[in-house]
Amino acid sequence: MTSNTPARPPGRPRTGVNAVVFAATLSTVHELGYARATVERIAAAAGVAKSTVYRRWPSKGALIVDCLLDAFGPAPLEGTSRAELMSSTIRWIAAKIAEPGVGDAFAGVFSDAVSDPALREILSTRLQDPYRLALQDALGEPENRVLFFIDVVVGVLLHRMGMTGGPMVDADVTALVEMVLAHFADGPGQA
Amino acid sequence: MTSNTPARPPGRPRTGVNAVVFAATLSTVHELGYARATVERIAAAAGVAKSTVYRRWPSKGALIVDCLLDAFGPAPLEGTSRAELMSSTIRWIAAKIAEPGVGDAFAGVFSDAVSDPALREILSTRLQDPYRLALQDALGEPENRVLFFIDVVVGVLLHRMGMTGGPMVDADVTALVEMVLAHFADGPGQA
DNA sequence: GAGTATCGATACCTGAAGTCGCGAAACTCT
DNA sequence: AGAGTTTCGCGACTTCAGGTATCGATACTC
């Protein structure tokens, strides 16, 4: 244990502007949409130089993913029964995606990932995997079933967002909950 | 009925290269991905000038939408029972999206539409509405239920495509069919 | 033959992602 | 105190893609 206390590396420390940049990202995406929310505009909204943003995130997509991670936070995973747990998780995701800027940012980075394998890797590893593992643990379901669950919930919400420009209304979220609950009611085991 | 036979408008008629451009679009998108499939490259692959493409389609998104319309064609709507009809429709969409280039193009134009209201209008009106109306008629379901059906099927398939880079495996398509069928089994009427 | 709309080719404009280099500031270590 | 290191803001720069405009040539209709 010779170097167990890195204390602080030499050089000027980074200013604590990550939270400000995340807030500026969401508000800029919310106002202008994903494509017009350029890194330059986001940086200006945060009161920060563009080079500062690129010093911390390698690409616009990586910035968005980190911003989404910050916006979502850890999954609540509340509920005593499997049904309650799934229901609350779905409603939690729906509510988060409905927050101003979050859905637009999510759909935007998602579509960028289609033709960008590096970004797809970031999206899958940094954003999807933590929630996937937490759900596997909480639900006791195998990986492929949880991935299917995520595909259904997030896919439906993003498709509605992309087609209409707005979040899904509550009645349809309820229908989504009922449909998913019925499919997963029989517990782990089937394909 | 004075001008009931427009016959052919004056000027040089357009050459019949639409089909060639569509094929070039899909193959280019398949090879390079949506973002790198520039209009210039697509035109070159079709043996056509870029200006010719822009003379026929106002934007890249409109070209992609027309290309998808051509690739999908009319919905089969086969099956005697409601369950068979839904099942065959879902498998038909899944198979189409799995065709080389189609899924990438779909996901790409979809994500572009998120921050482009004009493109969203084109996507919704030209691509979604025809199939929505046909499904409303064939299933006897109200608009909001059919929209939910489309959200589920297309949303799930595109989310899988965007996250993994490849189409959904057959076992998961089967799970999707079962889940949707169970939800819509009770027929029209509930929310 | 006059008029019109297409064709290919090419040059151009705009905007956005990402890079680079600069001098200044804020730290740590000696 | 001073050397070394890293960040900061600022701005110029490169690259690339969507889209526009202009050109002479071509293929039609009237």
Side-chain angles (χ1 to χ4, degrees):
Chain A
M1 288 198 188
T2 55
S3 63
N4 53 353
T5 42
R8 199 188 292 170
R12 176 176 178 171
R14 291 191 163 174
T15 54
V17 292
N18 278 28
V20 183
V21 173
F22 289 153
T25 300
L26 287 186
S27 72
T28 305
V29 169
H30 179 58
E31 286 172 17
L32 307 175
Y34 181 79
R36 288 195 198 170
T38 69
V39 175
E40 208 150 23
R41 266 191 263 255
I42 292 172
V48 153
K50 187 172 74 159
S51 49
T52 298
V53 173
Y54 276 105
R55 214 171 273 122
R56 299 180 184 213
W57 295 277
S59 67
K60 177 182 175 179
L63 164 64
I64 301 284
V65 170
D66 266 19
C67 180
L68 289 174
L69 260 168
D70 178 77
F72 277 88
L77 293 179
E78 298 163 354
T80 54
S81 67
R82 276 172 51 90
E84 279 181 23
L85 207 154
M86 286 184 149
S87 173
S88 67
T89 300
I90 295 173
R91 293 189 186 278
W92 168 70
I93 299 178
K96 284 294 180 182
I97 287 182
E99 285 181 11
V102 175
D104 308 74
F106 202 158
V109 74
F110 179 80
S111 56
D112 276 3
V114 173
S115 48
D116 185 341
L119 180 55
R120 194 161 59 225
E121 179 70 20
I122 293 176
L123 193 60
S124 173
T125 305
R126 299 203 39 138
L127 192 60
Q128 181 172 255
D129 281 358
Y131 297 113
R132 174 179 63 80
L133 293 170
L135 282 171
Q136 282 179 222
D137 198 52
L139 295 173
E141 295 271 4
E143 175 179 1
N144 64 321
R145 292 256 291 179
V146 172
L147 282 176
F148 184 76
F149 174 83
I150 295 176
D151 282 336
V152 171
V153 176
V154 179
V156 171
L157 292 170
L158 288 188
H159 188 271
R160 174 63 61 94
M161 188 95 196
M163 275 297 180
T164 67
M168 183 170 257
V169 298
D170 212 65
D172 283 328
V173 176
T174 299
L176 175 62
V177 168
E178 286 172 3
M179 184 183 70
V180 172
L181 251 55
H183 182 73
F184 284 89
D186 43 5
Q190 79 166 13
Chain B
M1 289 201 187
T2 53
S3 63
N4 54 351
T5 43
R8 199 186 295 168
R12 174 176 180 172
R14 291 190 165 175
T15 54
V17 292
N18 279 27
V20 183
V21 174
F22 289 152
T25 300
L26 286 186
S27 72
T28 306
V29 168
H30 179 58
E31 286 173 17
L32 307 175
Y34 180 79
R36 288 195 199 171
T38 70
V39 176
E40 208 150 24
R41 265 191 263 254
I42 292 171
V48 152
K50 187 171 78 160
S51 47
T52 298
V53 173
Y54 275 106
R55 213 173 276 120
R56 300 180 184 214
W57 295 277
S59 66
K60 178 182 176 179
L63 164 64
I64 301 285
V65 170
D66 267 18
C67 181
L68 289 174
L69 261 168
D70 178 76
F72 277 88
L77 293 180
E78 297 162 353
T80 55
S81 66
R82 276 172 51 90
E84 280 183 20
L85 207 155
M86 286 183 151
S87 173
S88 66
T89 301
I90 294 173
R91 292 189 187 276
W92 168 71
I93 299 179
K96 285 292 182 182
I97 287 182
E99 284 181 10
V102 175
D104 309 76
F106 203 159
V109 73
F110 179 80
S111 54
D112 274 5
V114 173
S115 48
D116 185 341
L119 180 56
R120 195 162 58 223
E121 180 70 19
I122 293 176
L123 194 60
S124 173
T125 304
R126 301 203 39 140
L127 192 60
Q128 180 172 256
D129 280 359
Y131 297 112
R132 174 179 63 82
L133 292 170
L135 282 171
Q136 283 179 221
D137 197 53
L139 295 174
E141 294 271 6
E143 176 179 359
N144 65 321
R145 292 254 292 179
V146 173
L147 282 177
F148 183 77
F149 175 84
I150 296 176
D151 282 335
V152 171
V153 176
V154 179
V156 170
L157 292 170
L158 288 188
H159 188 270
R160 175 62 60 96
M161 187 95 195
M163 274 296 181
T164 67
M168 182 169 258
V169 298
D170 211 64
D172 283 328
V173 176
T174 299
L176 174 62
V177 169
E178 286 172 3
M179 183 183 69
V180 172
L181 252 56
H183 183 72
F184 284 89
D186 42 7
Q190 77 166 19

